[in-house]
Amino acid sequence: MAGAPRFSTPPAIRQTPNDSNLLFIECQVQASPKPEVTWFQNDKKLPATAKYKQVIKVSSTPNTFDISLEINQLGQTDAGTYRITVKNKTGEVSANVDLNFAAEDDAIQAQVEKQVLTFYDRNSAEGTSPTFIQKPIIKQENDGKRLVFECKIAADPKPDLSWSRDDVPIQDSGRYLIYCDPLPNNAYVACLEIDDVNSADAGKYKITAKNKLGESNAHISLNLDNQEQGGGGGGSRPTFTIAPQIRMFEESVLLECRCTAEPVPTFTWNLNGKPIVIGTKYKQGILSEGNNHTIFLEVLNHTKKDSGEYRVIAKNIKGDGSANIQLNIEGIDFKLPEGTAPTFITKPTIKQDAKSATVQIDIQSEPIPSIYWTKDSRELLNVDKIVTRIDRKGTNRYSIFLDIKNLTASDSGIYKCTLANELGTATANIVLKVVGDKISIEQSDKLAPSFEKPKVTIATAKKSITIECRCKGKQEPKITWKKDKVDIKETPNKYKMTKTKESDDTYVFALEILNSTVTDTGTYKIFAMNDAGESQTLINLNVDASAQPEVKNDQKSTTMKAPTFMDKPKDITANDGEKVQAQCKITGIPVPEITWFLNKKEVKPSTEFIQEYDGQIAKLTIPDGYVEDSGDWMCEAWNEAGEATENFKLTIKEKKGKEKRTRKQPSKSTKKDEEPSKKEQRKQVLEQQNTTQPLKQNEAVSSPTIIIPTIGDEDDEDDEYNELPTIPFIQRPRRAKPSDRAKRLSQTKLGAISELSGMLRKQ
């Protein structure tokens, strides 16, 4: 008997545990006669190729067919909505499956666990059973004294959670802190914190999530003997835990992938399926931090031909793992960020233990640099013999280690450590000599060049700009200046270069730009080199085209500069309940005062509207955005020399099916206690202007440092993460003694975790 197709088993995603690069979408259909099957990705028909193997088999049940789509070499481009259409002469049926890759913090192996099925005849469901969209991971805080088990769950309604260790329930008391906080789109982040960790905390941990529609659980093992977390049996195969990143340097592109593995893996790269030959075109490196490893590939002198799909394959004795990254050279631009170029802040030191040795160098850098080691001009990637490590020592400070095992005379040679980030590079040459089983550093009296953060001084009266760089180095470094990659030569009435020796190993190099105009805007570079190494740092100079007024008072002539927006705030669209952040870059002398307005009404600083300004970057942060915060926003910068404004539009969308939220209005202050508006305060400033102390002419103006903390750094308690696309984090208040600790309020204990709306499909 003829029958139209219907799904006896709806489409589902399956991934084999031993191969993260292979994925199946499978279903079962009843139909008579045998149907034709067509697969689509984002409405584009998929061909039957080695990449997409399409299979239809006759099942043991009459008129039933097992259908599957096999996706090989799984990569970021495979994300999207897949549709299967099944038809015969009597009818047609179709279904959709969303394949959503995880956010930056989530393991690639967890990327396919969120499935959303949409049938042509299906009504909206009344909720969803719990599903783990990020399996538990372990983070360290407080120098390893605190462990945080963290996972993400999708469920509607909110699930009830329970934790256990070796099947013994864990209670929210004493050393244990348990909490669950909401995320957008019916998702939640669930955490278990353990204080004062000791060896007795080792074991198999389990979290169970349950609501009225079902339950799910996940496991993670904690082994404190060998520092392995998340695995068992004395090691783990490489697992890529964060989506690969692309970083644009001045003259190269850096591909950066992070994985967990024990022991340290070896790795290879290929481009569009062809192996990459490391040499003058490509540089690669690996850096280990415990069982976390960062693998780099730097593409030098890049052109359009370097675009394509890059793939890194990491292997160890436990297995292998891989990650793909799509590079489009035309789609990325170099933009000099805030921060500091890498610098060596101490001379290399060496420690020896039996037949092994460790070279240590302390560095400073923001953002964190890529790191490459060579020996006698050959790359060091033999991870059995050589291991490179990094430890964070505080804000922007790190210790770099090179471990050399089983010392022999052949380990003697010239070792070169190269650091690079978006603002510059630094290289140190280290001469090691091994005699018998003893190792030493030769030429230890020499010091590679190292720059402090450059300082820019504007002398308006002279129409000149001076870039001043303090540099340490021994012997005296040779200096080269460049503008937009072109060498600068000392030129009368245009460029003047000076050198001042402050001490035996410290120099101040300055470039004075005379008769400055807007054409002097650009990226400047200072390059220093001696026998011990080399260093370079970039300076972004923006010369204002408008003439700056001179403002005089009765006491003394003072040069002032009206506020100027160097970077304008951008229009923002977000969802109700999400964190919103707007920022812009502003200059002026004296430092401008910043005021924010919504629909022409001043918005004063509060916990709901956090306003920050460090002299150059103005930030407005709304931790919990409401629909009523939408509208026309304006940032106003004001000082005694003038004012400037920039507008942007904020749109916060209401969640479908959710009751509209309204921000609780603060109690009205009495007129006596009410703070005067900015306009009124400025009138008072102007009235007192004659009595204020003027700024010194030619006062140095230096760019601020924007600090990006790392989880677990106790020096960063009051700092926030930047997005891209990471989880913003505010250090939660420390736990009180068990007898004194009040019951935790979820929303106040977890600072801010958001930006997951793109990971989950709206039901």
Side-chain angles (χ1 to χ4, degrees):
M1 179 182 293
R6 70 179 185 89
F7 290 98
S8 54
T9 303
I13 295 173
R14 178 174 64 86
Q15 189 174 27
T16 58
N18 297 325
D19 190 351
S20 60
N21 302 304
L22 182 63
L23 181 139
F24 298 86
I25 303 177
E26 301 169 326
C27 62
Q28 192 176 73
V29 172
Q30 291 181 342
S32 180
K34 181 180 179 179
E36 296 177 355
V37 177
T38 309
W39 289 91
F40 300 83
Q41 181 195 15
N42 299 328
D43 294 326
K44 182 180 179 181
K45 183 178 178 180
L46 292 177
T49 62
K51 169 72 174 176
Y52 302 107
K53 295 181 181 179
Q54 303 176 22
V55 178
I56 178 169
K57 295 181 179 179
V58 178
S59 177
S60 57
T61 305
N63 300 325
T64 303
F65 304 89
D66 296 322
I67 302 172
S68 66
L69 172 67
E70 179 181 334
I71 305 174
N72 291 276
Q73 303 300 323
L74 188 66
Q76 294 282 346
T77 57
D78 293 318
T81 300
Y82 288 78
R83 184 172 84 252
I84 177 175
T85 300
V86 186
K87 65 179 179 179
N88 62 14
K89 64 182 181 179
T90 61
E92 179 178 334
V93 68
S94 65
N96 295 342
V97 176
D98 278 358
L99 176 57
N100 292 328
F101 284 82
E104 188 176 298
D105 298 324
D106 301 342
I108 288 178
Q109 283 69 21
Q111 291 170 351
V112 296
E113 295 194 36
K114 173 66 177 173
Q115 303 173 19
V116 183
L117 305 180
T118 306
F119 296 93
Y120 75 104
D121 59 352
R122 178 181 173 185
N123 295 321
S124 59
E126 297 181 359
T128 57
S129 61
T131 302
F132 283 86
I133 55 177
Q134 175 201 289
K135 295 294 185 181
I137 59 174
I138 301 177
K139 299 177 180 178
Q140 291 189 12
E141 294 181 4
N142 196 19
D143 295 329
K145 296 178 182 178
R146 179 183 301 110
L147 291 183
V148 180
F149 295 78
E150 179 186 286
C151 60
K152 297 187 182 76
I153 302 166
D156 185 21
K158 181 179 180 179
D160 295 323
L161 303 177
S162 60
W163 289 85
S164 65
R165 178 174 65 85
D166 296 334
D167 297 326
V168 177
I170 296 175
Q171 303 299 324
D172 182 18
S173 63
R175 296 189 302 120
Y176 301 103
L177 177 63
I178 297 174
Y179 52 93
C180 178
D181 289 301
L183 300 172
N185 300 321
N186 297 320
Y188 302 87
V189 58
C191 294
L192 165 66
E193 288 187 8
I194 307 176
D195 275 336
D196 302 324
V197 176
N198 56 65
S199 58
D201 292 314
K204 188 173 183 180
Y205 286 76
K206 176 182 177 182
I207 176 174
T208 300
K210 180 188 298 185
N211 67 12
K212 64 182 181 180
L213 296 172
E215 70 176 77
S216 184
N217 59 66
H219 299 81
I220 187 167
S221 294
L222 176 64
N223 187 334
L224 295 174
D225 293 329
N226 59 9
Q227 301 300 313
E228 155 129 48
Q229 297 173 6
S236 61
R237 69 179 182 87
T239 301
F240 286 86
T241 56
I242 295 178
Q245 296 183 4
I246 299 174
R247 296 170 62 181
M248 188 71 182
F249 291 178
E250 184 194 22
E251 298 178 344
S252 63
V253 176
L254 184 76
L255 309 183
E256 183 179 286
C257 301
R258 298 180 186 178
C259 72
T260 60
E262 174 64 29
V264 181
T266 59
F267 61 94
T268 56
W269 288 88
N270 64 49
L271 171 58
N272 296 328
K274 297 181 180 180
I276 287 176
V277 179
I278 303 302
T280 56
K281 178 68 177 177
Y282 300 100
K283 291 197 304 183
Q284 64 179 0
I286 183 171
L287 192 61
S288 299
E289 190 172 6
N291 292 340
N292 299 310
H293 314 282
T294 303
I295 301 173
F296 306 101
L297 178 71
E298 189 169 359
V299 184
L300 306 168
N301 304 315
H302 51 81
T303 66
K304 293 181 182 179
K305 294 181 180 179
D306 295 310
S307 297
E309 186 174 65
Y310 288 77
R311 178 178 172 84
V312 60
I313 302 170
K315 298 181 179 181
N316 65 11
I317 58 175
K318 291 292 181 178
D320 60 74
S322 64
N324 297 338
I325 184 167
Q326 190 72 32
L327 176 62
N328 180 7
I329 296 296
E330 294 181 323
I332 52 176
D333 296 311
F334 173 67
K335 184 178 181 181
L336 199 65
E338 299 292 341
T340 57
T343 56
F344 297 100
I345 56 179
T346 61
K347 291 182 179 180
T349 59
I350 193 164
K351 294 182 180 179
Q352 187 169 357
D353 179 18
K355 296 196 69 177
S356 298
T358 297
V359 178
Q360 176 179 342
I361 318 177
D362 295 329
I363 69 167
Q364 182 172 337
S365 178
E366 179 58 43
I368 187 171
S370 62
I371 300 176
Y372 306 100
W373 283 89
T374 62
K375 175 181 178 289
D376 299 330
S377 300
R378 307 178 88 175
E379 286 189 315
L380 288 176
L381 293 176
N382 183 356
V383 294
D384 294 327
K385 170 78 173 173
I386 303 288
V387 175
T388 57
R389 297 183 289 116
I390 184 171
D391 280 346
R392 179 180 284 271
K393 296 300 183 182
T395 303
N396 307 334
R397 289 180 177 251
Y398 307 87
S399 290
I400 305 299
F401 302 93
L402 178 71
D403 298 329
I404 308 173
K405 303 175 184 178
N406 302 318
L407 286 171
T408 65
S410 62
D411 293 319
S412 300
I414 301 175
Y415 291 74
K416 178 182 288 188
C417 178
T418 301
L419 316 175
N421 72 6
E422 290 83 344
L423 291 112
T425 62
T427 301
N429 299 323
I430 307 165
V431 182
L432 298 182
K433 187 175 182 180
V434 181
V435 178
D437 58 357
K438 299 293 182 181
I439 187 170
S440 61
I441 298 178
E442 303 292 306
Q443 301 178 351
S444 58
D445 58 326
K446 294 184 178 181
L447 180 67
S450 175
F451 286 108
E452 293 182 9
K453 187 175 180 67
K455 184 169 64 175
V456 177
T457 304
I458 303 172
T460 306
K462 294 171 59 179
K463 293 184 179 180
S464 71
I465 300 173
T466 301
I467 302 173
E468 186 178 272
C469 299
R470 178 172 277 98
C471 177
K472 284 192 173 185
K474 195 175 181 182
Q475 62 212 108
E476 180 182 330
K478 295 180 180 179
I479 297 296
T480 303
W481 288 91
K482 291 187 177 185
K483 176 182 180 287
D484 297 330
K485 304 180 183 180
V486 178
D487 285 356
I488 296 175
K489 303 296 182 183
E490 196 160 33
T491 307
N493 300 320
K494 190 57 188 177
Y495 296 116
K496 182 181 178 181
M497 302 176 190
T498 59
K499 176 193 73 176
T500 304
K501 186 173 183 178
E502 288 191 342
S503 64
D504 183 46
D505 61 359
T506 304
Y507 305 82
V508 177
F509 299 99
L511 171 67
E512 186 177 5
I513 305 169
L514 306 171
N515 302 310
S516 60
T517 67
V518 69
T519 59
D520 293 310
T521 295
T523 301
Y524 290 75
K525 178 196 293 183
I526 181 171
F527 177 83
M529 180 174 64
N530 63 16
D531 289 345
E534 58 191 51
S535 181
Q536 66 181 34
T537 188
L538 303 178
I539 305 99
N540 195 35
L541 184 63
N542 195 314
V543 182
D544 192 356
S546 61
Q548 300 303 323
E550 274 198 355
V551 180
K552 298 184 179 181
N553 58 27
D554 295 337
Q555 301 294 323
K556 190 175 181 180
S557 174
T558 302
T559 299
M560 296 186 180
K561 182 177 179 182
T564 302
F565 281 82
M566 313 299 288
D567 254 341
K568 302 177 183 180
K570 296 178 174 58
D571 291 345
I572 300 172
T573 300
N575 293 319
D576 183 39
E578 291 184 346
K579 175 183 175 182
V580 176
Q581 186 175 80
Q583 70 176 40
C584 46
K585 186 175 181 181
I586 306 162
T587 61
I589 301 176
V591 174
E593 176 185 291
I594 305 301
T595 311
W596 296 87
F597 297 86
L598 170 58
N599 298 329
K600 299 183 180 180
K601 183 178 179 181
E602 180 181 335
V603 177
K604 295 183 178 181
S606 66
T607 55
E608 296 176 330
F609 300 99
I610 301 170
Q611 301 177 26
E612 302 170 90
Y613 182 51
D614 58 11
Q616 212 173 40
I617 303 295
K619 290 183 181 179
L620 170 71
T621 303
I622 308 175
D624 183 17
Y626 284 72
V627 174
E628 64 197 65
D629 299 328
S630 302
D632 295 319
W633 282 81
M634 180 178 75
C635 179
E636 180 187 76
W638 176 93
N639 64 14
E640 290 90 331
E643 67 178 54
T645 62
E646 285 294 343
N647 300 303
F648 68 97
K649 190 174 290 292
L650 172 60
T651 304
I652 298 183
K653 299 179 180 179
E654 188 175 341
K655 289 184 179 178
K656 294 181 180 180
K658 299 291 183 180
E659 183 179 350
K660 183 178 179 180
R661 304 186 309 147
T662 303
R663 187 185 297 281
K664 185 178 180 181
Q665 297 299 323
S667 59
K668 293 185 177 180
S669 304
T670 63
K671 189 171 183 180
K672 181 179 179 181
D673 298 331
E674 191 173 327
E675 184 182 350
S677 69
K678 294 289 186 182
K679 297 288 185 183
E680 294 170 343
Q681 294 178 38
R682 288 171 190 164
K683 287 181 182 179
Q684 298 173 12
V685 171
L686 291 173
E687 290 172 358
Q688 300 171 1
Q689 187 173 9
N690 290 337
T691 62
T692 57
Q693 184 68 28
L695 294 175
K696 295 181 180 179
Q697 189 164 340
N698 303 344
E699 183 175 348
V701 181
S702 61
S703 299
T705 300
I706 305 300
I707 300 173
I708 304 177
T710 294
I711 290 177
D713 188 347
E714 286 297 300
D715 294 336
D716 303 331
E717 289 197 356
D718 296 322
D719 293 328
E720 289 188 355
Y721 273 106
N722 287 348
E723 303 174 4
L724 290 200
T726 59
I727 299 178
F729 180 83
I730 298 176
Q731 186 73 30
R732 71 177 61 252
R734 294 278 58 86
R735 185 198 308 273
K737 293 181 180 179
S739 59
D740 300 329
R741 185 164 64 93
K743 183 171 178 62
R744 180 184 176 281
L745 296 178
S746 171
Q747 200 60 32
T748 61
K749 295 294 282 185
L750 183 67
I753 299 182
S754 59
E755 307 305 330
L756 279 177
S757 56
M759 182 174 64
L760 299 176
R761 185 180 188 273
K762 292 183 178 180
Q763 298 289 335

